[in-house]
Amino acid sequence: MTHVQIDRSRPLPAQIVEDVRGRITDSRLAPGDPLPSTRVLARQLGISRGSVVSAYEQLVGEGLLITSPGGTRVDPSLRVPGGPAAAPAPGPRPAPPRGDLKPGEPATGLLTGALWRSAWRAAAARPTAHPAAGSERLRALVAEHVRLTRSVRVEAHDIVITAGARDGLRLVLAARGRRGTLAVEDPGYPSLRHVPRAMGWRLQPVDTRAAGTGPRATPDRHADAILVTPNHQFPTGAQMPAARRFALLEAARRADALIVEDDYDSALRQTHPPLLALDAEGRVAMLGSFSTTLTPALALGYLIVPPLLRERVADLCLPTSGLVQDAVAAYMEADGLRRHTARVRREYRRRRTAFVEIFPEGVPMESGLRAVVPLRAGVDEDGVVARCRAQGLAVEGMSGYWSARGPRAPGIVLGLGTGPLDRLRERLAVLRRTVDGS
């Protein structure tokens, strides 16, 4: 409003009223828009504050403006013929939809301590861009972390920092150089299966319920790559026995196939060494992520690359946030990751106990990020999920975790990480009533 043309021969308040009224009628000022304070506008126009006060009072009387302790603005409920729809009067924002019992959501309430905040302050004080393969400092720390927690010795140059497990899978499949057949566990994690599908790979489901090392337990000889979670097979969270691990490595050797090992949530549970530790031929790439141990908000992970793909992967890397990398590196150097992981494991033990108390028939994952409630045969799984969603429970149906068609037992997949423990117990009780009413 600083360009109001002031005519000293006419009453000043009337000129301000005309100007504001004109701006409202031609939509230069919309309902809810703020106006300068009387003191500021008087200074901008070089006139007395009393003239502006008088003009504003008249406009309030006409119902064009409203005043409040927050200032003067165009009445939000005003309807201007031919103008845009008026903005609704501000009111309390609706509560966001609840994500109670959402599968895979970690308990992040334990994270934001002094050490975590200090790591971020240190990273923000000297923001740095790193090479596409990642910070040398963080790669060395990840190599040491893998040595201590997974009993595998790798070097920093074997590691690429990624934007998470899906990004790592994209990288290693692209580095493979050709699209083909990817053997996947069935059931398995849908989010990882989306990546190869989008890249043009054909998925070959392998039934993980099969025991032993028969044909249903391992991919056939036509697989070009194999995606497997040997230390957390879904839905039971079971670990692949040694015989099947060696059979899988032999199947990959015969097919000249790449094995992509998702080391999902291994830091949160007692596990066997990864397949990578048994790999004598350099055919295993391992995906790691900080999403489950720290928070998905980081969008940070790592890929341990087989020697034959190292150069190709380096060419395909996209850089991740230098600030995030430096903050996580500082946190790891201060022993924050190890201490935080120990706290989280204790917390998840309490959450698994709460789940089993309410669902003794349920199957809790050792990590606590997911659990399964089996449903009776013939129960409408989709209907149960819909009723749970109506109660604010973000659970999922077991059917979404399968690739192949065929008979399968219905069930509900849930997470134990969201909210405080008391809230978890309350929501599990709601789920119990909903499932029992099915």
Side-chain angles (χ1 to χ4, degrees), residues 130-131 134-141 156-157 325:
H130 297 294
S135 154
E136 291 291 340
R137 172 190 179 200
L138 181 57
R139 293 163 75 187
L141 286 164
H157 62 252
Q325 292 188 59

Side-chain angles (χ1 to χ4, degrees), residues 110-385:
L110 303 174
L111 181 61
T112 55
L115 195 60
W116 179 251
R117 293 192 296 271
S118 174
W120 281 92
R121 284 195 299 268
R126 297 186 63 184
T128 305
H130 297 294
S135 154
E136 291 291 340
R137 172 190 179 200
L138 181 57
R139 293 163 75 187
L141 286 164
V142 169
E144 180 65 4
H145 171 71
V146 169
R147 184 185 71 82
L148 293 173
T149 62
R150 306 301 291 122
S151 302
V152 177
R153 184 176 293 278
V154 295
E155 303 297 331
H157 62 252
D158 296 319
I159 294 170
V160 167
I161 302 302
T162 68
R166 282 175 290 187
D167 184 41
L169 179 58
R170 175 195 63 81
L171 267 176
V172 76
L173 290 182
R176 180 71 171 167
R178 65 180 187 272
R179 289 172 295 185
T181 299
L182 176 69
V184 296
E185 295 176 322
D186 209 29
Y189 296 114
S191 63
L192 276 184
R193 292 199 297 255
H194 295 334
V195 174
R197 280 200 186 105
M199 297 176 67
W201 284 70
R202 185 178 69 85
L203 301 190
Q204 177 199 119
V206 178
D207 193 337
T208 57
R209 297 171 302 176
T213 59
R216 293 207 322 154
T218 55
D220 66 29
R221 60 186 176 83
H222 300 296
D224 299 287
I226 304 162
L227 175 62
V228 64
T229 53
N231 285 311
H232 187 136
Q233 290 182 308
F234 196 87
T236 64
Q239 300 184 61
M240 184 183 291
R244 283 179 66 178
R245 290 173 187 253
F246 285 113
L248 181 61
L249 288 167
E250 175 59 21
R253 186 193 64 78
R254 290 196 310 268
D256 191 25
L258 170 74
I259 297 178
V260 184
E261 177 178 16
D262 180 10
D263 203 41
Y264 176 73
D265 85 5
S266 292
L268 300 179
R269 59 210 308 266
Q270 295 292 335
T271 66
H272 302 313
L275 278 175
L276 185 65
L278 305 177
D279 178 27
E281 297 187 344
R283 357 188 122 259
V284 177
M286 193 171 86
L287 305 175
S289 174
F290 293 103
S291 294
T292 55
T293 48
L294 295 175
T295 168
L298 292 172
L300 192 69
Y302 55 90
L303 168 66
I304 301 177
V305 188
L308 290 177
L309 296 180
R310 192 179 297 149
E311 290 187 10
R312 179 64 176 153
V313 165
D315 291 340
L316 297 170
C317 284
L318 295 175
T320 58
S321 165
L323 190 66
V324 171
Q325 292 188 59
D326 289 345
V328 172
Y331 192 62
M332 293 176 73
E333 284 177 335
D335 202 29
L337 179 60
R338 183 193 64 80
R339 290 155 60 184
H340 172 72
T341 301
R343 289 194 299 270
V344 169
R345 291 178 74 162
R346 290 192 295 270
E347 175 66 16
Y348 281 142
R349 281 197 292 271
R350 292 190 283 268
R351 290 168 181 261
R352 290 195 301 273
T353 298
F355 172 75
V356 172
E357 287 173 355
I358 297 175
F359 287 97
E361 78 280 22
V363 182
M365 307 304 174
E366 187 180 341
S367 67
L369 291 176
R370 281 179 171 82
V372 176
V373 175
L375 299 175
R376 299 188 309 275
V379 169
D380 178 10
E381 181 184 278
D382 291 340
V384 177
V385 171

Side-chain angles (χ1 to χ4, degrees), residues 22 45 48 84 108 114 177 183 364:
L45 300 179
S48 70
T108 57

